[in-house]
Amino acid sequence: MADDILKDAEKAAKHAANQVANGVRDAFAVVGNATGLTDVIESNTETFTNVGRGYACMATFCYSEELRKKQLEEAEAEAKREYDRYVAEKVQEYESSSKQERREAAWNAWKLAENRRNILNERYKLAQTEVEVLRAFMLGVSKESEFRKKLVENNITGRPLKNREMIPAADEFVKTYKQDYRGALKKLNEAIASLNQTTQRSHAQLMAEFLRIVEQNTLTEMVNAVTAQIGILQMEFQNLQLSAVEAATDAEVARLTYEQEQF
């Protein structure tokens, strides 16, 4: 399951973090046969591209998706209220209603329940996307931490990064993330989007370069923040599953009622 993979990545990242000193910010990306690791930027670019499916924002949702998530939560809550109101109203009118009216009421209740179920499906898919993003980030941190550990073990001296355009954005993130983690991530993603245009490097490559730049303590604290978000998502999945069962039951009851009113 996705949360098991995330836990494994978190464990690997923290294990490596405990063994690596800071100060390898500009260590070169290719270690080769001396360590058994290839270019960590290329490796993490592939991780973000494949696991994150070329995701446009890294380590967090984009603003548009945060907004979409909030809109879906509100729409689902309203759909449930509308269904409950409608059913309560029609139950009171049942005895005095004609067969045609009861048939129409059952049909409408069925459609309202289906609407809520469809919104829940969209919420679930969006939450799965969020898991994919967090999973890619955690695996990326794990690889980066292991890379730094190998540098120390092999006494390898680094050289400056080939591409250094991400350094200002990384420095800005480090200055602000303790005060406003989500805001700092939002600015980081905006910087990545801008550099994507000016450098023609992918979002995935730029995020991999960001992981190569920041100090180990920052990576460790980002892992802690992501771990907290994973806990929130796990609760969200549980609530979504309960709501989905409820919506499916409502839809089935309404469907059966509608079919019974045909005779």
Side-chain angles (χ1 to χ4, degrees), residues 46-65:
E46 185 177 0
T47 294
F48 288 129
T49 300
N50 293 340
V51 182
R53 298 177 183 173
Y55 194 68
C57 295
M58 297 296 165
T60 184
F61 265 164
C62 299
Y63 174 75
S64 59
E65 283 166 313

Side-chain angles (χ1 to χ4, degrees), residues 185-204:
L185 279 177
K186 182 175 181 292
K187 288 184 179 179
L188 176 65
N189 283 323
E190 290 171 351
I192 287 175
S194 176
L195 286 170
N196 167 249
Q197 297 296 315
T198 58
T199 68
Q200 300 304 304
R201 297 201 299 285
S202 68
H203 287 73

Side-chain angles (χ1 to χ4, degrees), residues 95-114:
E95 294 299 332
S96 61
S97 299
S98 67
K99 189 172 185 63
Q100 178 62 29
E101 288 172 334
R102 291 198 300 270
R103 186 182 298 123
E104 290 177 357
W107 171 265
N108 289 334
W110 183 13
K111 294 301 109 182
L112 288 171
E114 286 289 351

Side-chain angles (χ1 to χ4, degrees), residues 4-263:
D4 293 328
I5 296 171
L6 284 166
K7 287 176 183 176
D8 290 342
E10 174 196 351
K11 183 178 178 182
K14 287 187 174 180
H15 175 71
N18 289 334
Q19 302 180 56
V20 184
N22 288 328
V24 291
R25 168 189 178 117
D26 286 333
F28 71 108
V30 180
V31 180
N33 292 334
T35 65
L37 293 179
T38 55
D39 188 325
V40 74
I41 291 180
E42 288 184 4
S43 179
N44 275 337
T45 298
E46 185 177 0
T47 294
F48 288 129
T49 300
N50 293 340
V51 182
R53 298 177 183 173
Y55 194 68
C57 295
M58 297 296 165
T60 184
F61 265 164
C62 299
Y63 174 75
S64 59
E65 283 166 313
E66 289 282 6
L67 183 61
R68 173 67 174 158
K69 185 174 182 177
K70 187 171 186 298
Q71 289 172 336
L72 284 172
E73 289 171 357
E74 292 172 351
E76 190 264 319
E78 177 56 31
K80 184 179 187 311
R81 285 193 295 269
E82 187 176 356
Y83 171 82
D84 290 342
R85 280 197 303 264
Y86 187 82
V87 170
E89 175 187 323
K90 295 307 174 184
V91 165
Q92 288 183 343
E93 298 174 357
Y94 184 80
E95 294 299 332
S96 61
S97 299
S98 67
K99 189 172 185 63
Q100 178 62 29
E101 288 172 334
R102 291 198 300 270
R103 186 182 298 123
E104 290 177 357
W107 171 265
N108 289 334
W110 183 13
K111 294 301 109 182
L112 288 171
E114 286 289 351
N115 179 53
R116 184 191 174 201
R117 184 157 68 168
N118 291 336
I119 294 172
L120 281 164
N121 286 338
E122 289 301 310
R123 286 186 62 191
Y124 191 83
K125 283 190 261 185
L126 195 60
Q128 285 181 313
T129 298
E130 191 168 3
V131 166
E132 294 252 346
V133 174
L134 296 177
R135 177 176 183 267
F137 172 75
M138 294 291 269
L139 289 176
V141 171
S142 178
K143 288 181 180 180
E144 175 62 36
S145 297
E146 181 65 17
F147 171 77
R148 297 182 186 193
K149 173 174 171 284
K150 293 294 186 181
L151 285 176
V152 173
E153 287 177 351
N154 289 274
N155 296 315
I156 295 176
T157 302
R159 69 183 181 212
L161 288 167
K162 177 182 177 182
N163 298 308
R164 305 179 68 80
E165 292 91 345
M166 271 300 296
I167 289 178
D171 288 343
E172 180 63 25
F173 176 85
V174 170
K175 287 179 186 176
T176 60
Y177 80 96
K178 289 185 178 179
Q179 292 75 37
D180 180 10
Y181 183 72
R182 301 292 290 181
L185 279 177
K186 182 175 181 292
K187 288 184 179 179
L188 176 65
N189 283 323
E190 290 171 351
I192 287 175
S194 176
L195 286 170
N196 167 249
Q197 297 296 315
T198 58
T199 68
Q200 300 304 304
R201 297 201 299 285
S202 68
H203 287 73
Q205 185 174 14
L206 290 163
M207 186 61 191
E209 291 171 8
F210 167 79
L211 294 186
R212 185 83 286 280
I213 291 167
V214 297
E215 299 288 357
Q216 189 65 42
N217 64 309
T218 302
L219 291 181
T220 301
E221 288 172 354
M222 290 182 76
V223 166
N224 292 336
V226 170
T227 301
Q229 183 60 25
I230 291 168
I232 293 170
L233 270 173
Q234 287 172 333
M235 290 296 298
E236 186 176 327
F237 273 121
Q238 291 174 12
N239 292 333
L240 284 171
Q241 287 168 350
L242 291 173
S243 296
V245 169
E246 181 185 60
T249 301
D250 288 343
E252 182 64 9
V253 169
R255 182 186 70 80
L256 291 172
T257 302
Y258 172 73
E259 290 180 353
Q260 289 169 0
E261 292 294 344
Q262 303 306 305
F263 304 102

